[in-house]
């Protein structure tokens, strides 16, 4: 947060959470995480803040469990590894489904929060989709572009989103989905390191 100009204490205050929360070592609940992401949206006043916090992050500071996805065999394997990390650390399921989604045939990646009682905040959806795009682009070393980005939120089109994804963005979709050409998921990762992944 500090890297994008938002002091962590200000974020916690906006979310009405204790400023000592990071020092407690306690897990953040789904509800608390959603409140933090909505506070981030309010403080930043940037409709693309979720994209910005991920695309500007240095992969060198990622935890090893997330970094492992960048050494996967291909994009599909990388997404599966990222999904395993999320399943172990958060009550969130990352799922890939093949087929036709809103008239487009491809591989759709979506999220399900197991303990959510409300819609996932836009900044959170954007951060996950940006994480997947950074994995796709940095992992393959190519300019992977999704077929389409489906966002359940309503509102005005964001030039920042269309520019970042370099793909059509559909608002008011039935659910949040990132649609890839199935062939893109089979793109190899030049940095594949089976010895590192075996550790």
């Amino acid at each position: 947060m500090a890297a994008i100009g938002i002091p962590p204490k200000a974020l916690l205050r906006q979310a009405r959470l204790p400023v000592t929360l990071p020092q407690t070592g306690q897990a953040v609940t789904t509800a608390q995480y959603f409140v933090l992401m909505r506070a981030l949206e309010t403080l930043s006043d940037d409709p693309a803040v979720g994209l910005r916090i991920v695309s500007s992050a240095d992969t060198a500071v990622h935890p090893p469990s997330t970094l492992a996805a960048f050494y996967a065999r291909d994009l599909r394997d990388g997404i599966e590894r990222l999904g395993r990390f999320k399943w172990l650390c958060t009550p969130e399921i990352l799922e890939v489904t093949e087929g036709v989604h809103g008239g487009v045939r491809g591989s759709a990646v979506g999220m399900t929060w197991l303990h959510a009682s409300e819609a996932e905040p836009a900044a959170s959806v954007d951060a996950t989709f940006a994480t997947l795009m950074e994995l796709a682009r940095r992992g393959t070393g190519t300019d992977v572009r999704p077929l389409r980005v489906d966002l359940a939120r309503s509102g005005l089109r964001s030039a920042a989103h269309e520019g970042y994804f370099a793909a059509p963005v559909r608002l008011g979709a039935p659910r949040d989905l990132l649609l890839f050409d199935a062939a893109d998921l089979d793109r190899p990762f030049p940095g594949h390191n089976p010895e590192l992944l075996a550790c």
Side-chain angles (χ1 to χ4, degrees):
M1 294 303 110
I4 62 166
I6 297 177
K9 286 185 178 178
L11 180 66
L12 288 162
R13 275 195 288 278
Q14 178 69 33
R16 296 189 176 162
L17 293 172
V19 293
T20 56
L21 185 64
Q23 287 81 39
T24 65
Q26 292 179 324
V28 174
T29 67
T30 300
Q32 289 172 324
Y33 173 70
F34 282 13
V35 166
L36 281 166
M37 294 307 277
R38 287 201 174 87
L40 174 63
E41 293 169 357
T42 300
L43 287 177
S44 70
D45 197 29
D46 175 2
V49 67
L51 301 178
R52 197 159 49 97
I53 60 175
V54 173
S55 62
S56 64
D58 183 356
T59 51
V61 301
H62 288 198
S65 45
T66 303
L67 195 57
F70 287 87
Y71 296 101
R73 183 179 58 255
D74 53 30
L75 181 54
R76 187 181 306 275
D77 183 34
I79 292 171
E80 287 174 7
R81 289 178 185 281
L82 187 61
R84 246 178 285 154
F85 166 74
K86 284 181 170 286
W87 176 247
L88 289 171
C89 300
T90 65
E92 178 188 14
I93 298 172
L94 198 62
E95 52 207 350
V96 179
T97 55
E98 311 288 339
V100 178
H101 306 275
V104 175
R105 175 171 291 284
S107 301
V109 186
M111 302 82 66
T112 300
W113 285 84
L114 299 177
H115 306 298
S117 58
E118 57 187 321
E120 182 178 4
S124 176
V125 172
D126 290 352
T128 298
F129 283 178
T131 299
L132 292 166
M133 291 310 305
E134 294 301 314
L135 175 65
R137 290 168 176 166
R138 296 181 194 190
T140 65
T142 63
D143 184 24
V144 174
R145 297 176 181 209
L147 297 172
R148 192 178 68 216
V149 182
D150 282 0
L151 299 174
R153 74 193 75 152
S154 58
L156 300 173
R157 293 213 176 277
S158 162
H161 285 75
E162 291 180 346
Y164 175 77
F165 291 108
V169 176
R170 181 172 74 144
L171 298 174
R175 66 174 297 199
D176 298 304
L177 290 174
L178 190 56
L179 283 87
F180 289 101
D181 186 312
D184 283 335
L185 267 60
D186 296 323
R187 285 180 184 252
F189 280 16
H192 175 51
N193 188 329
E195 291 83 11
L196 184 144
L197 295 174
C199 294

